[in-house]
Amino acid sequence: MRINITTILFTATAALLANACGDSALDKKSENYVQVDNYYRTVDELSRALTGAYAILQSNNLGGREYFFLHDLRSDDVTAGGGQLETPRNQLLIGSHGPTNAVMTSVYNGMFRLIHRANAIIQNAPDATGDAELKKRLVAESRFLRAWAYYQLAGFWGGVPLYTTTPIQFEDSEPQARSTAAEIWNFVYTELNAVVPDLPEEYNKNDFGRAGRGAALMVLAKAYIFNGDYTNAKTRLEAIKDLGYALTDNYFDNFTEETEYNQESIFELSYTSGGNYNWDADGNATQVNESWIRSQEYSAVGWRNLIPSNSLLAEYEPNDPRLKDTFYFIGDTYGDPGAPLELTEDKVQGNKSIFNGVEQKVSWKKYSVMYKLDPGGFWDKIGINYRMYRYADVLLMLAECENEVGSPEAAIDYLNEIRNRPSVNMPEYPTAEYPVNSQAEITRAIIHERRVELAGEEVRNFDILRWRKDDKLTTEPISYYAPMYELLPLPQDELNNNPNITQDDQNLGY
């Protein structure tokens, strides 16, 4: 589904902000202003409000920009592309961030705004008139979005305030104290298990981009595996297999605009090149600006704020085709395939990497528009959908689960299924570099395969966190790591504005 932000500008947002400000000469209501008690009365209004929730997910604070930055900066997949990397981002990259970090705070706020919009739908749905089956699905989607947000919050921050209702007026609200991490994780499990039956296995073309059953099972499996529950994760992953997903023959089809919603895609954030990037934190706009900024941020011909780390580049085995599908090297061609251009060093700003002992400029290719056009200078008409979850990740997590529950042969088969993709066609395990004669050796192969298959797809951060907890890492991948960096600090804004959370509630070390 192409989420059209203009359809919800004054329905979800203005409605939720009803009476948020005190009496003032500046309190002039727009002709589009809608009171909360006059909204959410029909299934159609619930649907429009849900579009507003998806708009938050696509917005600058989340999928459009800060979400992918926060994940990548907390991993070892990236390093600074040069001095152009903004200070708040560099702080996260080198471990000098604190409670006022702007990138972290933006994501935190975005998650709770998403929760707020989802809660409004869930809370008001029982009294809405209209198609009962559609209403059930809309509520299930809203609960999915809320659970997804709490899954991310728990992974980044641990315990956070748990909100399951939305006040009609902000002055009626009572800020919640901090729940424990265990309470947040249990909420995620309960919510996602509850909504799986109410979400469709697939949507028709007009509704592509909505969360379906596969998406709910995927987040549920990721939540279980994050906490070392391989048995429950395996059950959900096998349920995803039964839904009929499959690997695409061509690996790079997972990152182009022309091959969106393919057989490998489980959940995508929909973007279109029909307008410019919308810098609004919540995804509100008066025009159809539904692109995202990923290509401009990472591309070789662009800002190039983050580049692949040396350790990531070194992870690739010789002749692995995924290397050239993931990165641009000097001398590669780009742009219009009918009139390709050569990528020369003068077109690429910033730092160099070391690959195969040679200092050279290497840049991200995934989600870059350069596969089909020359972005020139600033280019924000980026319509490539963000594949948040895809089937390759399912197979790799199944390999991990089978290895943990004592089925090594099945684990190796799943790994080889990834390597047997026609466009990849890498030698099967065992290999000389990656023997698989023990659980530890299979774990090492899984860690390797996840890193090269899913590089730059915002999974490495949470992988490191969970493997570290389970003593799966043989070396520490984060150079500045200390126990305080296991979690991010609660934003200072939360401490300042929530009387039920104090400095005593802050995460270790902050």
Side-chain angles (χ1 to χ4, degrees), residues 12-275:
T13 307
L16 292 176
L17 292 175
N19 296 323
C21 301
D23 293 337
S24 166
L26 297 178
D27 289 344
K28 304 298 183 182
K29 290 185 173 62
S30 162
E31 62 182 13
N32 295 302
Y33 183 90
V34 181
Q35 291 277 3
V36 170
D37 55 8
N38 292 328
Y39 205 71
Y40 305 105
R41 291 186 171 185
T42 67
V43 168
D44 180 65
E45 289 175 345
L46 293 180
S47 181
R48 290 175 179 271
L50 180 57
T51 302
Y54 279 107
I56 288 276
L57 185 57
Q58 296 170 295
S59 71
N60 187 74
N61 271 6
L62 295 180
R65 193 178 195 219
E66 306 300 8
Y67 168 85
F68 64 76
F69 262 116
L70 187 59
H71 269 288
D72 287 347
L73 290 165
R74 296 258 296 163
S75 79
D76 61 343
D77 272 358
V78 299
T79 190
Q84 71 273 16
L85 185 66
E86 298 161 309
T87 297
R89 303 181 199 285
N90 194 57
Q91 289 172 345
L92 288 160
L93 184 64
I94 66 175
S96 65
H97 55 276
T100 61
N101 182 270
V103 177
M104 173 200 77
T105 300
S106 292
V107 173
Y108 187 91
N109 290 343
M111 294 295 177
F112 278 104
R113 287 168 179 170
L114 174 58
I115 290 164
H116 179 65
R117 291 191 181 185
N119 279 340
I121 298 163
I122 298 162
Q123 182 175 333
N124 287 283
D127 297 326
T129 60
D131 186 325
E133 284 301 308
L134 176 57
K135 179 165 69 171
K136 183 167 69 172
R137 193 201 80 197
L138 296 174
V139 170
E141 288 181 70
S142 302
R143 292 175 72 181
F144 165 83
L145 293 173
R146 181 175 66 179
W148 176 86
Y150 274 116
Y151 157 65
Q152 295 291 329
L153 287 163
F156 279 120
W157 285 277
V160 294
L162 179 59
Y163 294 95
T164 58
T165 60
T166 295
I168 293 177
Q169 296 181 336
F170 285 161
E171 57 261 35
D172 295 336
S173 66
E174 174 65 25
Q176 295 296 304
R178 188 179 188 186
S179 295
T180 66
E183 289 169 335
I184 300 299
W185 286 116
N186 285 333
F187 178 77
V188 171
Y189 302 147
T190 301
E191 282 293 285
L192 291 174
N193 278 312
V195 303
V196 164
D198 293 338
L199 290 169
E201 293 184 12
E202 59 183 1
Y203 288 97
N204 62 40
K205 186 174 182 179
N206 291 333
D207 282 328
F208 282 173
R210 292 184 180 276
R213 189 169 300 176
L217 288 166
M218 187 70 164
V219 178
L220 188 53
K222 281 184 168 288
Y224 281 128
I225 207 170
F226 188 94
N227 292 294
D229 186 346
Y230 295 99
T231 301
N232 268 315
K234 180 174 178 284
T235 300
R236 275 65 182 187
L237 293 165
E238 288 174 337
I240 297 173
K241 273 191 68 179
D242 292 340
L243 295 178
Y245 296 100
L247 298 177
T248 62
D249 286 349
N250 184 4
Y251 176 75
F252 194 61
D253 281 351
N254 292 297
F255 315 107
T256 67
E257 189 170 3
E258 294 76 17
T259 51
E260 296 166 349
Y261 304 117
N262 61 45
Q263 62 188 3
E264 189 166 340
S265 179
I266 295 174
F267 186 50
E268 299 187 14
L269 302 193
S270 299
Y271 294 101
T272 175
S273 54

Side-chain angles (χ1 to χ4, degrees), residues 300-302 334 341-349 361 374:
V301 180
Y334 71 99
L341 302 170
E342 181 181 349
L343 187 62
T344 54
E345 189 160 327
D346 61 293
K347 297 176 182 176
V348 183
Q349 71 163 343
K361 290 183 177 178
D374 177 10

Side-chain angles (χ1 to χ4, degrees), residues 182-437:
E183 289 169 335
I184 300 299
W185 286 116
N186 285 333
F187 178 77
V188 171
Y189 302 147
T190 301
E191 282 293 285
L192 291 174
N193 278 312
V195 303
V196 164
D198 293 338
L199 290 169
E201 293 184 12
E202 59 183 1
Y203 288 97
N204 62 40
K205 186 174 182 179
N206 291 333
D207 282 328
F208 282 173
R210 292 184 180 276
R213 189 169 300 176
L217 288 166
M218 187 70 164
V219 178
L220 188 53
K222 281 184 168 288
Y224 281 128
I225 207 170
F226 188 94
N227 292 294
D229 186 346
Y230 295 99
T231 301
N232 268 315
K234 180 174 178 284
T235 300
R236 275 65 182 187
L237 293 165
E238 288 174 337
I240 297 173
K241 273 191 68 179
D242 292 340
L243 295 178
Y245 296 100
L247 298 177
T248 62
D249 286 349
N250 184 4
Y251 176 75
F252 194 61
D253 281 351
N254 292 297
F255 315 107
T256 67
E257 189 170 3
E258 294 76 17
T259 51
E260 296 166 349
Y261 304 117
N262 61 45
Q263 62 188 3
E264 189 166 340
S265 179
I266 295 174
F267 186 50
E268 299 187 14
L269 302 193
S270 299
Y271 294 101
T272 175
S273 54
N276 302 103
Y277 181 62
N278 176 15
W279 291 92
D280 184 82
D282 292 345
N284 302 319
T286 57
Q287 298 177 344
V288 182
N289 289 337
E290 295 188 28
S291 68
W292 63 322
I293 206 67
R294 172 65 169 264
S295 178
Q296 179 64 29
E297 292 283 2
Y298 286 16
S299 279
V301 180
W303 289 327
R304 201 169 173 260
N305 280 323
L306 293 179
I307 60 175
S309 66
N310 292 341
S311 69
L312 174 57
L313 293 171
E315 190 76 25
Y316 286 82
E317 298 163 78
N319 302 315
D320 189 335
R322 290 171 292 187
L323 176 74
K324 295 303 291 282
D325 279 341
T326 303
F327 310 111
Y328 275 116
F329 292 80
I330 300 302
D332 287 347
T333 58
Y334 71 99
D336 181 356
L341 302 170
E342 181 181 349
L343 187 62
T344 54
E345 189 160 327
D346 61 293
K347 297 176 182 176
V348 183
Q349 71 163 343
N351 292 340
K352 294 183 178 180
S353 305
I354 298 176
F355 178 63
N356 286 342
V358 179
E359 193 175 52
Q360 54 189 297
K361 290 183 177 178
V362 186
S363 310
W364 287 99
K365 184 175 182 179
K366 282 184 179 178
Y367 294 121
S368 171
V369 297
M370 288 174 56
Y371 76 94
K372 65 177 180 178
L373 59 83
D374 177 10
F378 176 75
W379 185 270
D380 68 344
K381 295 180 177 64
I382 303 152
I384 307 167
N385 283 3
Y386 177 31
R387 279 70 153 186
M388 184 169 279
Y389 301 122
R390 59 185 180 92
Y391 187 59
D393 197 358
V394 172
L395 296 176
L396 289 169
M397 287 192 290
L398 274 169
E400 196 168 347
C401 291
E402 295 289 8
N403 190 41
E404 294 297 326
V405 302
S407 304
E409 295 84 2
I412 296 166
D413 286 344
Y414 282 126
L415 289 174
N416 287 333
E417 188 171 347
I418 295 292
R419 291 168 77 86
N420 286 332
R421 187 197 297 263
S423 70
V424 175
N425 195 27
M426 287 292 288
E428 291 191 346
Y429 293 110
T431 67
E433 188 173 359
Y434 291 97
V436 286
N437 299 313

Side-chain angles (χ1 to χ4, degrees), residues 438-453:
S438 66
Q439 186 182 59
E441 287 183 347
I442 295 172
T443 295
R444 178 171 172 262
I446 289 168
I447 291 173
H448 163 73
E449 201 65 32
R450 285 188 66 80
R451 195 173 190 195
V452 297
E453 172 71 22

